[in-house]
Amino acid sequence: MRSINGDLAIDNNAAERAIKPFAIGRKNWIFFGSDHGGQTFATLASFTATCEQLKINPWLWLRDTLTRLPVTPADQLNTLLPTATN
């Protein structure tokens, strides 16, 4: 829902929906085996949430990006970001 001037949402439903899977799975994720495992999960969760917010299939995007990455010039790497495809 938007405020009167349309700039800010007057509720935090989007934020609550975004963190719901983490609240539900919190007890299951207590043990990752290592700190590196926890960091890997955090990276994947952030990537997946970003793609979902942008309505992009994360695995199709990842496959496409890894295919195009070797032939993309360094000054055009920003075109591979999920936000550039939307």
Side-chain angles (χ1 to χ4, degrees):
M1 184 177 287
R2 298 276 180 192
S3 65
I4 294 173
N5 68 2
D7 292 335
L8 302 173
I10 60 173
D11 59 32
N12 66 346
N13 288 340
E16 289 180 10
R17 282 191 304 273
I19 65 170
K20 185 176 180 179
F22 298 101
I24 292 171
R26 187 178 305 135
K27 288 186 181 179
N28 295 330
W29 302 326
I30 290 174
F31 303 103
F32 286 103
S34 68
D35 288 343
H36 181 70
Q39 292 171 348
T40 300
F41 171 75
T43 300
L44 290 174
S46 176
F47 164 71
T48 303
T50 299
C51 287
E52 286 178 4
Q53 184 179 21
L54 296 172
K55 296 179 177 45
I56 296 172
N57 181 315
W59 308 116
L60 291 178
W61 176 87
L62 186 60
R63 185 178 62 191
D64 177 59
T65 300
L66 292 176
T67 301
R68 295 187 306 149
L69 184 61
V71 295
T72 302
D75 63 338
Q76 295 179 7
L77 289 177
N78 62 335
T79 64
L80 299 177
L81 296 173
T83 54
T85 61
N86 199 1

